[in-house]
Amino acid sequence: MNYAPIVVFCYNRPEHVRRTLEALAVNAEAMESRLIIYSDGPKPDASTQDKERVAETRKVIRSKQWCKEVVIHESPQNMGLAYTVIKGVSETLDQYGSVITLEDDVLVSRYFLKFINEGLQKYANNDNVYLIAGYTFPIPEVQRSSESFFLPVTTTQAWGTWKRAWTQFDSSASGYIELKHNKELRRKFNLDNAYDFSAMLIQQMETNNISSWAIKWWWCVFKRGGLGLFPDKSLVRNIGWDGSGRHSGAKDPFFEEDWRDDYAIVEFPEAVQPDDAKFGLMIDYLKKLFGKTTSNQG
């Protein structure tokens, strides 16, 4: 099997990225894989402590041979997560055709790389599949039987994709204006109003309040009716909900009590179609978690 390169994005959390890389290295496929690390630089107004944390992070990523090959890109200045992710994913896909991405605050199971690589191989030529996801919401009603399934949603915690899918990524989010005027479109984009993604996208495009590549990616996949392959139990655990990251708080709303680092997925669907039952359970889960929301745009 040709293993997809792994791209890790990090900034100023040395202990988080250490744990992320240590978990990754436990995967048997790590020693057959290329690891590319994008290390963002300090902000213009960074304190001495912040600069030291960036420097310490760079010491950590250079401290071990985490994979068969390690390539490190260190930015001299702060480019921001959104810019860096788009740049890193695009550059890697241009060169290799497929990619597995991780941010610096996720622990992956020991079978994460096996699942993502097998999914990337199996569905490489199916244009309706846009990503292979390592993360799944801890929905109690979903039976855990080492299976995977398709959902018409995206995820950004730990995932893989192909160049043919990423070429659909559009930084201008063309057509997003329609969300302001089409209530039914907003409802669908908001997953039956489980979460107000439409307001997030509009703010991203029209204000400086949000800087997110992920909402643009969701819009691109949504417009095309694309699918993602998901495991029936998450193969990653987020460790960033401790107040240390710009985009996370101090409490993980998706915390999974019985997460295991030895869980493996062995079944893949032959039919490339959404699992409507599990999609409904996911929407119900999100509604219970966040409460039903309705966009104020209209």
Side-chain angles (χ1 to χ4, degrees):
M1 178 182 290
N2 292 322
Y3 295 108
I6 306 152
V7 177
V8 173
F9 301 97
C10 62
Y11 173 39
N12 68 347
R13 295 188 287 181
E15 289 309 310
H16 289 75
V17 75
R18 184 192 307 277
R19 294 178 63 189
T20 294
L21 294 174
E22 286 175 346
L24 179 67
V26 173
N27 283 245
E29 296 75 14
M31 285 301 109
E32 300 297 328
S33 300
R34 177 180 290 103
L35 173 63
I36 304 168
I37 304 177
Y38 283 81
S39 172
D40 207 0
K43 297 177 181 178
D45 59 349
S47 66
T48 299
Q49 183 181 30
D50 285 339
K51 292 177 181 178
E52 290 174 349
R53 290 176 63 81
V54 171
E56 183 60 31
T57 298
R58 291 177 173 179
K59 288 181 182 178
V60 169
I61 63 179
R62 293 182 178 277
S63 64
K64 292 183 181 180
Q65 186 73 24
W66 308 103
C67 290
K68 181 179 181 179
E69 178 184 354
V70 180
V71 178
I72 297 175
H73 299 278
E74 294 181 350
S75 174
Q77 59 192 18
N78 187 268
M79 305 305 296
L81 181 61
Y83 174 89
T84 306
V85 168
I86 294 170
K87 173 181 169 64
V89 171
S90 299
E91 289 180 346
T92 305
L93 288 174
D94 283 345
Q95 186 170 359
Y96 300 105
S98 61
V99 68
I100 299 170
T101 74
L102 295 171
E103 293 185 18
D104 65 351
D105 58 359
V106 293
L107 302 183
V108 299
S109 82
R110 63 186 64 236
Y111 300 113
F112 167 80
L113 287 181
K114 182 176 187 296
F115 170 67
I116 302 293
N117 275 292
E118 288 182 354
L120 288 173
Q121 291 279 331
K122 186 174 181 64
Y123 304 106
N125 298 318
N126 194 303
D127 289 345
N128 203 38
V129 183
Y130 279 72
L131 71 150
I132 310 298
Y135 177 78
T136 293
F137 292 115
I139 305 168
E141 294 83 1
V142 172
Q143 182 179 359
R144 272 59 177 179
S145 51
S146 296
E147 296 180 341
S148 54
F149 48 85
F150 288 107
L151 295 177
V153 293
T154 58
T155 184
T156 60
Q157 294 217 34
W159 57 289
T161 193
W162 309 265
K163 182 176 181 178
R164 57 113 177 125
W166 188 250
T167 54
Q168 304 300 325
F169 181 80
D170 174 19
S171 289
S172 68
S174 60
Y176 83 90
I177 293 294
E178 191 176 354
L179 288 169
K180 290 184 173 183
H181 310 294
N182 189 324
K183 185 176 181 180
E184 179 60 16
L185 184 66
R186 287 200 307 274
R187 184 189 67 78
K188 291 180 179 178
F189 186 60
N190 292 344
L191 301 179
D192 196 28
N193 287 329
Y195 190 84
D196 203 347
F197 292 109
S198 59
M200 184 177 180
L201 180 58
I202 291 167
Q203 289 183 51
Q204 162 75 54
M205 301 309 299
E206 299 183 356
T207 74
N208 293 321
N209 296 334
I210 295 176
S211 176
S212 170
W213 66 271
I215 191 63
K216 297 178 183 178
W217 178 230
W218 167 223
W219 174 244
C220 293
V221 175
F222 169 81
K223 287 192 300 180
R224 293 166 176 80
L227 299 173
L229 183 75
F230 288 76
D232 62 11
K233 183 178 176 65
S234 187
L235 302 180
V236 302
R237 164 167 277 182
N238 191 294
I239 56 172
W241 291 91
D242 55 3
S244 63
R246 177 183 176 187
H247 301 290
S248 62
K251 182 179 180 181
D252 184 357
F254 312 109
F255 184 74
E256 188 173 359
E257 293 284 353
D258 62 342
W259 187 80
R260 292 163 42 192
D261 74 347
D262 62 348
Y263 191 78
I265 299 297
V266 298
E267 297 291 337
F268 293 79
E270 292 301 326
V272 179
Q273 59 189 32
D275 189 317
D276 292 335
K278 290 185 176 65
F279 187 46
L281 290 173
M282 187 199 77
I283 289 174
D284 289 343
Y285 169 83
L286 292 175
K287 284 183 175 180
K288 290 176 183 177
L289 190 66
F290 296 114
K292 188 171 182 178
T293 61
T294 303
S295 173
N296 293 322
Q297 305 287 340

